[in-house]
């Protein structure tokens, strides 16, 4: 019989060396983690040491807090009529539509024209941003399992996810573009763009957070848990703000492009999710009146704070 002379692979030999000296390997791992942490802390200190980032994070916290505050109403309200819920969601949709127009698209067009010197080219840049935002939300809608109160489960793998988590994921998909809009709006360092948008999103999150918490109660969840979960989903606004501030940078046209992307994502959510949800119960008229009131309130906020 001949003895095999095959040499072990590099990975096998390396892993054998690690297993033979576990304490040294752990010490190296701890040292590398420490170095990485120090580098990360330095990077964060550089990134966070800008007013735009501070404004964006503050705006994300406003979105988070207002969602949580609205969700607390579920602790005191035992029932919310479908008509009232649809009117509240219509109000939120109106504010989102107006915010997309006044606080995102118009500043994007102005910034794009200032950079390119051409109004048509600026409009094309914003159109590209709108398309990117719509494609982003379309992809998330198709491949993220979620469920709305009356729409049934949808998204890849939805049959393997519990109904409560499907609702939570649906809320997260809704909150993400709002947070992105806040982050992008402050990325240019102009408070006049970000402040009215943040105020509008914070205001519309109050009835929206309540409506979400009540929807969770309607599927059998206890009010306290419904309020906590609906409020916690507002953290997606803070995450979205971080994503939004990170999208803009590197080249000048990224700012109007990012504003357009955030507007496209919000418009997709309003048209694809919110408005159809308000019309499922036959309350189209109060929902539409709520939408118009929300649009008017956002117009006033943009005029007063912009």
């Amino acid at each position: 019989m001949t003895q095999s002379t095959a040499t072990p692979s590099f990975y096998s030999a390396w892993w054998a060396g690690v297993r033979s000296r576990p304490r040294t390997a752990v010490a190296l791992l701890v040292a590398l983690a420490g170095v990485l942490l120090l580098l990360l802390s330095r990077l964060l200190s550089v990134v966070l040491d800008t007013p735009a980032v501070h404004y964006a994070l503050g705006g994300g916290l406003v979105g988070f807090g207002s969602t949580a505050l609205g969700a607390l109403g579920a602790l005191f309200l035992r029932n919310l009529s479908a008509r009232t819920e649809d009117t509240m969601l219509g109000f939120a949709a109106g504010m989102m539509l107006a915010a997309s127009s006044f606080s995102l698209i118009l500043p994007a067009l102005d910034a794009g024209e200032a950079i390119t010197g051409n109004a048509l080219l600026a409009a094309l840049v914003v159109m590209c941003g709108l398309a990117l935002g719509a494609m982003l939300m379309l992809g998330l809608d198709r491949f993220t399992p979620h469920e709305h109160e009356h729409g049934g489960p949808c998204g890849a793998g939805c049959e393997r996810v519990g109904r409560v988590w499907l609702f939570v994921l649906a809320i997260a998909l809704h909150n993400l573009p709002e947070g992105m809009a806040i982050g992008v709006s402050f990325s240019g360092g102009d408070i006049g763009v970000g402040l009215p948008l943040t105020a509008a999103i914070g205001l519309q999150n109050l009835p929206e957070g309540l409506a979400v918490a009540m929807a969770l109660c309607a599927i059998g969840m206890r009010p306290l848990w419904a309020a906590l979960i609906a409020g916690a989903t507002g953290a997606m606004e803070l995450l979205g703000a971080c994503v939004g501030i990170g999208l803009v940078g590197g080249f000048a046209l990224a700012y109007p492009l990012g504003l357009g992307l955030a507007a496209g994502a919000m418009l997709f959510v309003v048209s694809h999710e919110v408005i159809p949800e308000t019309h499922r119960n036959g309350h189209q008229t109060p929902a539409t009146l709520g939408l118009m009131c929300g649009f008017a309130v956002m117009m006033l906020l943009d005029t007063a704070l912009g």
Side-chain angles (χ1 to χ4, degrees):
M1 295 178 64
T2 60
Q3 186 176 2
S4 174
T5 59
T7 59
S9 65
F10 171 79
Y11 174 78
S12 300
W14 177 84
W15 182 242
V18 170
R19 295 183 62 183
S20 66
R21 297 178 178 83
R23 294 182 180 178
T24 304
V26 170
L28 176 61
L29 182 62
V30 171
L32 289 175
V35 170
L36 181 61
L37 182 62
L38 290 172
L39 291 173
L40 183 61
S41 66
R42 175 57 181 167
L43 177 62
L44 288 176
S45 68
V46 173
V47 172
L48 295 177
D49 192 22
T50 58
V53 175
H54 295 163
Y55 295 148
L57 293 178
L61 286 173
V62 169
F64 181 11
S66 59
T67 301
L69 184 61
L72 289 177
L75 299 178
F76 308 101
L77 295 175
R78 290 290 175 258
N79 187 27
L80 189 66
S81 69
R83 180 188 179 94
T84 302
E85 183 178 339
D86 289 340
T87 304
M88 291 166 56
L89 289 177
F91 180 85
M95 295 202 75
M96 291 176 70
L97 283 175
S100 300
S101 302
F102 300 128
S103 296
L104 294 173
I105 293 177
L106 290 181
L109 291 171
D110 291 340
E113 186 172 1
I115 294 169
T116 63
N118 186 289
L120 181 58
L121 186 57
L124 290 174
V125 171
V126 177
M127 284 178 59
C128 290
L130 289 170
L132 287 174
M135 288 189 293
L136 172 66
M137 297 312 300
L138 179 61
L140 290 175
D141 181 74
R142 288 287 186 269
F143 298 110
T144 303
H146 62 284
E147 179 178 359
H148 296 275
E149 186 176 4
H150 304 290
C154 54
C158 60
E159 67 280 354
R160 299 178 179 271
V161 182
R163 193 179 183 198
V164 171
W165 287 109
L166 288 174
F167 269 106
V168 170
L169 289 170
I171 302 163
L173 286 178
H174 190 142
N175 288 340
L176 179 63
E178 294 179 2
M180 290 172 56
I182 291 174
V184 173
S185 67
F186 280 118
S187 62
D190 186 359
I191 300 180
V193 176
L195 187 58
L197 178 65
T198 300
I201 289 177
L203 185 60
Q204 64 98 18
N205 277 349
L206 293 172
E208 190 176 76
L210 175 60
V212 167
M214 296 303 293
L216 290 174
C217 290
I219 64 172
M221 186 175 290
R222 293 181 179 179
L224 178 60
W225 279 109
L228 290 175
I229 291 177
T233 58
M236 287 299 295
E237 304 246 355
L238 183 57
L239 176 61
C242 295
V243 173
I245 197 71
L247 287 175
V248 180
F251 61 101
L253 284 178
Y255 179 57
L257 189 66
L259 288 172
L261 187 152
M266 288 182 67
L267 289 173
F268 181 92
V269 168
V270 171
S271 179
H272 189 69
E273 305 287 356
V274 183
I275 292 178
E277 196 72 21
T278 63
H279 287 199
R280 294 185 193 277
N281 299 314
H283 302 136
Q284 295 91 331
T285 299
T288 301
L289 293 175
L291 183 147
M292 296 180 69
C293 289
F295 193 97
V297 169
M298 178 59 210
M299 182 177 64
L300 289 175
L301 282 175
D302 188 78
T303 303
L305 301 176

